[in-house]
Amino acid sequence: MNRLPVFVAPIAKFALADAANAYEATRPGYRAFFINKFAEVVERVEQFPEACPLINPGVRRALFPRPFPFCVLYEIEGARIVVADVLPTAAHPDR
């Protein structure tokens, strides 16, 4: 199976950077760790774009691995994957 190219929307880039900076502020070195886990999620989505559950028509959710309570929302649009947002899955992700 060919991998679909991934486009990360500006809002998703902002959310990713914001969360990474928040982790770095409380735990030095966690920015890179968080970004690496995001890359792992995107890699998994590239390999198996339809494996994650639909949460709305056309919108899928891929969870970050522990210890990060975050998810990636994405859509398969034609011949590409669009990462729409990076969101916390916990009520208080800073706790």
Side-chain angles (χ1 to χ4, degrees):
M1 173 187 253
N2 292 332
R3 290 184 181 203
L4 298 177
V6 174
F7 170 77
V8 181
I11 189 80
K13 289 179 184 179
F14 177 81
L16 179 67
D18 190 49
N21 290 336
Y23 276 112
E24 187 67 22
T26 58
R27 295 181 175 159
Y30 258 54
R31 175 188 292 122
F33 188 39
F34 183 76
I35 300 237
N36 286 339
K37 293 303 175 186
F38 170 77
E40 288 178 16
V41 172
V42 170
E43 175 82 13
R44 193 171 71 237
V45 167
E46 281 180 310
Q47 289 179 333
F48 308 103
E50 295 182 354
C52 293
L54 284 167
I55 59 165
N56 278 318
V59 180
R60 295 181 181 272
R61 181 184 67 197
L63 297 175
F64 272 64
R66 291 180 189 238
F68 299 111
F70 280 82
C71 69
V72 170
L73 299 183
Y74 69 95
E75 299 174 86
I76 302 167
E77 292 185 354
R80 73 178 186 168
I81 296 166
V82 176
V83 173
D85 212 347
V86 175
L87 298 172
T89 58
H92 299 287
D94 57 339
R95 291 185 184 174

